Amino acid sequence: MPSLTVKLQETTPTSYPILIKKGLLQDPKSWLPAEISLWVIITDTNVAEILALNLQKNLLKMGLKTLLLKVNPGERSKSQRNKSLLEQTMLQHDCDRKTGILALGGGVIGDLAGFIAATYMRGIAYIQLPTTLLAMVDSSVGGKTAINTKEGKNLIGAFWQPKAVIVDSSALETLPQKQLINGLFEALKMFLTHDSASFTWFHKNLTNILARNLQDLENLVYRALKIKTRVVAQDEKEQHERAVLNFGHTIGHALEKITNYRLLHGYAVGFGMLVEAKIALTLKLLTEQKFALIENALRPLGITSRKLAKFKAEEVIAATKFDKKKQSGQVFYVLLKDIGSVKEINGKYVHLVDDYTVNQVLLDLTKD
Ligand SMILES: NC(=O)c1ccc[n+]([C@@H]2O[C@H](COP(=O)([O-])OP(=O)(O)OC[C@H]3O[C@@H](n4cnc5c(N)ncnc54)[C@H](O)[C@@H]3O)[C@@H](O)[C@H]2O)c1
């Protein structure tokens, strides 16, 4: 038989807006697409009390139908079980292809609700309404959605872009300080890998940021998302440059694994950036002076070599073998060559570093 070819039309370029402003959640008329009349709000029980009930009230006032679905707060909610339960409820409420999802919450809700949107009736519209700093500066943009299984984090998922990302900075007023700092590490990661001016700005304005000056927080989100949007637009499926956003994550994921995910993701990446910057110093890519600047930026956020000393070098190295960036037992890292730029060879942004070097770096950092 002759063979056949499926010739698909080029996917039309997709773009979506990101709005960053205080009070947006109070004013859904200003950002909600008019063509959808049933909105499923997916949130967690903490955010439901603080923000979701009010949002639902505002949608009802606009004459829209709503369905409010809640899961428990925390990483364990990003599960296959929750995904099925929520989908089942949506089916029972006659949600169809024209239904939209509002993902109101932190990265857990964004990843779970986004993945439901990706697969429900083969894909429906959703809007990211991030309420943690981590979700605002990172996870709400880029369309990576996923759930966890007992085999590991984010192993089942899809790339599915939202119709819009709505960042209401006033949501940060109720966020616990530890969660605020957790998000700062992901912003710092964007600056260290792409933008030295924003790194300097971050360092200068850290006191105001930690005191939750909303204007500074909006500026922080804007600076981080300016980088993320550019990277995602160039490499949506993480084949090339998007991998740079994994700076600090090889060691970070290892620390999350060792602590059974009790260490928050951002903090794990914070320690990861310290170690991976030191690897770059050891490989003579980064200068002593630049490494000291990075150490100084991490210290006020609670990331020090002294605290890193709780982790045994050999355990950290063993845990890196489970990283998604490993290939046949070899472990790869994003390496800084300066503040604001990374090593790149022929379009490759992750580089093999041997265990001996990583071990030396860990021992060196924690020797005092
Ligand atoms: N998709 C991506 O590109 C991407 C990128 C980075 C991280 N992630 C994922 O993000 C998840 C972590 O997200 P997270 O750190 O936002 O955690 P989270 O969603 O668990 O939120 C942290 C806590 O803050 C509470 N909370 C949320 N908003 C609040 C508010 N405004 N006021 C008070 N409390 C509030 C939540 O109820 C929760 O207890 C992880 O699952 C990670 O894998 C995804």
Side-chain angles (χ1 to χ4, degrees), residues 23-315:
L24 284 168
L25 287 174
Q26 295 291 343
D27 184 23
K29 242 188 204 149
S30 67
W31 47 265
L32 216 55
E35 63 276 10
I36 292 173
S37 58
L38 170 57
W39 286 101
V40 180
I41 304 170
I42 299 185
T43 192
D44 70 32
T45 49
N46 288 339
V47 181
E49 291 297 318
I50 305 169
L51 298 163
L53 292 171
N54 202 30
L55 175 64
Q56 188 181 30
K57 238 191 269 165
N58 286 329
L59 297 189
L60 291 173
K61 268 194 220 154
M62 289 167 66
L64 297 167
K65 282 193 241 151
T66 62
L67 175 63
L68 177 58
L69 302 180
K70 298 177 249 182
V71 297
N72 287 330
E75 191 63 36
R76 288 169 70 108
S77 281
K78 253 173 71 174
S79 63
Q80 287 174 311
R81 183 167 182 274
N82 270 346
K83 181 170 184 280
S84 310
L85 284 174
L86 295 174
E87 287 163 346
Q88 207 65 43
T89 313
M90 285 173 64
L91 289 168
Q92 283 155 6
H93 282 80
D94 296 327
C95 295
D96 60 16
R97 296 191 67 186
K98 290 195 179 122
T99 300
I101 291 179
L102 298 174
L104 178 70
V108 163
I109 293 300
D111 281 10
L112 171 69
F115 190 32
I116 292 173
T119 56
Y120 192 82
M121 308 247 163
R122 299 200 180 92
I124 60 172
Y126 79 115
I127 294 182
Q128 289 278 13
L129 304 173
T131 63
T132 62
L133 187 62
L134 182 139
M136 290 180 186
V137 298
D138 193 357
S139 63
S140 61
V141 170
K144 271 202 209 174
T145 72
I147 51 172
N148 306 326
T149 66
K150 68 177 173 20
E151 286 77 14
K153 264 189 72 169
N154 299 328
L155 294 180
I156 312 282
F159 285 97
W160 188 246
Q161 301 294 342
K163 291 285 172 223
V165 180
I166 306 299
V167 181
D168 181 345
S169 55
S170 57
L172 296 175
E173 282 163 352
T174 53
L175 193 68
Q177 191 69 1
K178 198 171 174 189
Q179 293 289 350
L180 187 91
I181 296 174
N182 190 47
L184 289 180
F185 295 111
E186 294 284 15
L188 190 53
K189 169 199 78 181
M190 313 265 187
F191 304 156
L192 283 172
T193 50
H194 288 87
D195 182 358
S196 64
S198 286
F199 173 78
T200 308
W201 173 88
F202 177 87
H203 204 39
K204 257 198 195 149
N205 292 279
L206 189 57
T207 312
N208 285 347
I209 292 168
L210 289 173
R212 293 166 198 242
N213 177 307
L214 285 195
Q215 237 172 1
D216 284 308
L217 285 168
E218 283 177 11
N219 195 345
L220 176 97
V221 174
Y222 177 78
R223 284 169 181 269
L225 290 186
K226 209 169 152 195
I227 296 166
K228 178 121 193 208
T229 47
R230 193 180 54 72
V231 173
V232 168
Q234 275 168 16
D235 178 22
E236 182 190 356
K237 302 269 165 80
E238 201 171 310
Q239 301 297 308
H240 309 285
E241 197 197 340
R242 192 164 177 180
V244 174
L245 300 180
N246 289 322
F247 171 57
H249 282 60
T250 306
I251 294 293
H253 285 152
L255 298 180
E256 280 184 285
K257 192 162 173 64
I258 293 174
T259 58
N260 209 2
Y261 299 96
R262 273 187 296 275
L263 184 65
L264 293 180
H265 177 74
Y267 283 83
V269 171
F271 282 114
M273 291 193 289
L274 178 67
V275 177
E276 295 181 19
K278 181 83 174 183
I279 293 175
L281 169 67
T282 305
L283 297 175
K284 301 198 175 357
L285 289 163
L286 201 63
T287 64
E288 284 280 359
Q289 188 216 2
K290 296 287 166 74
F291 176 71
L293 287 175
I294 297 172
E295 263 190 317
N296 288 342
L298 288 168
R299 196 172 300 113
L301 303 176
I303 301 299
T304 60
S305 8
R306 214 160 149 212
K307 287 196 187 147
L308 181 71
K310 299 193 288 236
F311 303 103
K312 289 201 180 88
E314 64 270 22
E315 278 184 33

